[in-house]
Amino acid sequence: MSLLTLARDLRRRKARERQALFVAEGVRGVEELLRSSLAVRGALVTQALRDTPRGVALLAQLERSEIATEEVGSAEFDSAAETESPQGILAIATVPETKLADLAVAESLRLLILDAVQDPGNVGTILRTAAALGVTATFSLPGTVDLWNAKVVRSAMGAHFHHSCLTGTWDELDAFRRTYAVDVWAADATGESIEHLEPPARLALVVGNEGAGLSSNSRTRADRLVALPIAAAVESLNVAVAAGILLYELRR
C-alpha cells in the first residue's frame, strides 16, 4: 500500500484503530514527531514544502532518519489531509501502546477523563494543557472524538508524543479504580468549589460534553462533584478552559 493510500485510509477512525497508526500534519507537527520516540512509518509531501528553508530542513531530516517519503501533487495531498493549511507535509506514525495498568506504578496519579467531549480543537487544547500541568494520562470515554484524529493531533501541538492518551469504557475504569484506589471527581456547575478541597494522591477528574455536560454514567460514579467559582452572570466556561483551570487547581 502506498503512503498516499494509507494516509487516505487513516482519515477513518476505524482504520486508525485497526492499524494502530495516526497522521501528524503540518511542519511543526512533524518536527515535534521526529523529536519523539514514536516510530514513524513514512511522510507524504508536496513541492510546496521545498519553498521554505524550514521545509527544506525538514526534508533533509526525514532523509537522514531514513524515513520513507512520497511526493505527490497538491490535489492528491489534499485528498489525504484533514486540517486546513497542512503546509505540504504529513507523517504517519505508530500509536504508542499504553494501558491503564501501566499507570499504576506511580504513587500519585492524575487521570483526566473526557466524557463525550466532541470538538477536536477543544480536545487538542485539553491534551496540551494536561501534558503541561503534569497529568499522568488522558482517558477518553465513548462519544469523545478520537484522540488520534489528525485535527486533535495538530491542535495538541505535540502533546500526544509525550503524554499518554488512552481510550476505553467505564467498565475498564471501574476495575482500575477498585484495584488501585482511585477517587473520581467530576466537573459540574452544581458541585463544590474546588478552591479549598484537598485532592487525594490518586485522582481521576472527569469533564463532560460541551453542551450536555456529564453523562449519567459519570455522574453516578463520581465520588465528588466539583466546580469553579465563577460570576453568577456567566452560565459556564468552555470545556477546555474549565479543564485547564481545574487541573491547575489540582496541581497547586
Side-chain angles (χ1 to χ4, degrees):
M1 181 185 296
S2 71
L3 289 172
L4 175 60
T5 301
L6 179 58
R8 286 170 172 164
D9 192 35
L10 293 174
R11 288 171 62 101
R12 299 182 300 116
R13 180 171 187 162
K14 287 185 177 179
R16 293 192 295 272
E17 292 174 344
R18 183 180 69 252
Q19 301 191 61
L21 296 172
F22 73 96
V23 172
E25 298 183 11
V27 170
R28 179 169 181 173
V30 177
E31 287 174 341
E32 293 289 338
L33 176 61
L34 293 179
R35 293 189 189 104
S36 76
S37 60
L38 301 190
V40 181
R41 173 75 66 88
L44 201 64
V45 303
T46 70
Q47 176 61 40
L49 190 65
R50 304 180 188 277
D51 294 340
T52 65
R54 192 172 174 184
V56 172
L58 185 51
L59 278 169
Q61 185 176 359
L62 290 168
E63 185 176 353
R64 287 194 304 272
S65 302
E66 298 183 343
I67 294 171
T69 303
E70 185 176 316
E71 185 166 332
V72 298
S74 58
E76 290 178 311
F77 186 89
D78 289 344
S79 71
E82 287 198 70
T83 62
E84 295 182 9
S85 304
Q87 301 170 309
I89 185 166
L90 61 80
I92 298 167
T94 302
V95 174
E97 293 184 25
T98 306
K99 299 178 181 178
L100 274 173
D102 298 334
L103 310 177
V105 295
E107 290 185 11
S108 62
L109 175 76
R110 288 289 181 268
L111 183 64
L112 178 62
I113 301 173
L114 306 184
D115 180 11
V117 183
Q118 297 176 339
D119 181 78
N122 280 339
V123 172
T125 300
I126 289 170
L127 289 173
R128 187 181 182 199
T129 304
L133 295 179
V135 173
T136 311
T138 298
F139 187 97
S140 69
L141 291 167
T144 300
V145 65
D146 180 17
L147 299 187
W148 297 94
N149 174 296
K151 293 179 180 179
V152 176
V153 173
R154 187 165 187 182
S155 180
M157 299 178 69
H160 289 76
F161 312 148
H162 51 84
H163 176 70
S164 295
C165 300
L166 302 88
T167 297
T169 65
W170 261 119
D171 287 343
E172 294 172 85
L173 284 170
D174 286 341
F176 178 75
R177 63 185 291 215
R178 284 194 299 266
T179 302
Y180 299 105
V182 179
D183 281 16
V184 174
W185 291 6
D188 186 80
T190 65
E192 306 171 66
S193 171
I194 199 171
E195 278 185 304
H196 306 299
L197 297 177
E198 185 68 29
R202 306 175 74 80
L203 175 66
L205 173 69
V206 188
V207 294
N209 175 267
E210 288 90 343
L214 295 172
S215 67
S216 58
N217 278 332
S218 294
R219 193 175 292 277
T220 57
R221 284 171 166 84
D223 298 301
R224 172 173 262 160
L225 295 179
V226 296
L228 292 171
I230 60 175
V234 179
E235 181 182 356
S236 64
L237 296 174
N238 169 274
V239 64
V241 173
I245 300 172
L246 288 165
L247 291 175
Y248 183 82
E249 284 291 323
L250 292 177
R251 187 185 191 190
R252 179 181 61 80

